[in-house]
Amino acid sequence: MRVLVIHGPNLNMLGKREKSIYGEKTLDEINALLRKEAQTLNVELATFQSNHEGALIDFIQEQADSAQGIIINPGALTHYGFSLLDALVDSKLPVIEVHLSDIYHREEWRAKSVIAPIAEQQIIGLGWKGYINALQVLASGLKAKTSH
Ligand code: DQA
């Protein structure tokens, strides 16, 4: 089972940006924790970060056929990234949307996610642990599907 882990704009700055909101861990540290959990779950991961919507879309288009699910934190594209949304729909893969912070209890403009309607689940406000949670949810859902 292969899962795409996609990080949107500014998430390369984790560990430096607004630590009181996003936590202390860097993106590399979060990806390493995810890889460790993936090993336990026997899942292969492909991680990708970009500050550019088009690059995220290219990655999804290139990788979707060889993957079974997507974990994505779209960063601010969450709130207006309709091309990214279309690419996720076209991938036909189950999507789990992750946010480090609780987007519903911050500025008003963050409370709208254009991705949420197509996400199987949204995991918010759990910091880096939300990614681990997402991987567990996705892996158990995919395993349940393949055992039928
Ligand atoms: C975020 C929330 C977004 O509103 C913000 O633009 C981000 C990070 C989160 O993980 O909490 O870049 O997706």
Side-chain angles (χ1 to χ4, degrees):
M1 179 186 309
R2 188 158 180 274
V3 167
L4 310 180
V5 180
I6 301 173
H7 309 280
N10 297 309
L11 292 166
N12 56 317
M13 297 300 285
L14 289 179
K16 286 197 194 121
R17 78 183 280 221
E18 298 185 282
K19 288 190 205 178
S20 61
I21 297 174
Y22 298 120
E24 306 257 332
K25 292 217 188 302
T26 64
L27 191 61
D28 281 350
E29 287 167 345
I30 293 175
N31 282 335
L33 286 159
L34 268 169
R35 256 182 232 111
K36 210 168 140 206
E37 182 67 18
Q39 259 183 349
T40 315
L41 296 168
N42 205 16
V43 172
E44 190 191 327
L45 289 191
T47 61
F48 184 71
Q49 189 278 331
S50 179
N51 293 327
H52 307 279
E53 188 169 10
L56 298 169
I57 292 167
D58 287 345
F59 180 77
I60 293 167
Q61 290 180 358
E62 282 156 18
Q63 300 288 327
D65 285 351
S66 58
Q68 283 70 51
I70 296 178
I71 294 170
I72 186 163
N73 181 347
L77 290 169
T78 304
H79 315 298
Y80 63 90
F82 292 104
S83 318
L84 180 61
L85 168 66
D86 281 346
L88 290 169
V89 170
D90 290 344
S91 77
K92 300 191 181 71
L93 294 175
V95 173
I96 310 275
E97 177 186 348
V98 175
H99 298 286
L100 295 147
S101 67
D102 179 355
I103 56 172
Y104 297 108
H105 291 95
R106 296 183 61 194
E107 299 94 325
E108 206 180 328
W109 60 267
R110 291 190 203 270
K112 166 94 186 141
S113 166
V114 302
I115 309 296
I118 63 97
E120 286 210 344
Q121 202 170 314
Q122 200 185 40
I123 296 174
I124 57 160
L126 301 180
W128 65 269
K129 290 183 182 149
Y131 289 98
I132 307 292
N133 209 195
L135 185 57
Q136 290 164 344
V137 167
L138 198 54
S140 70
L142 290 171
K143 275 177 191 149
K145 258 186 225 165
T146 49
S147 66
H148 282 128

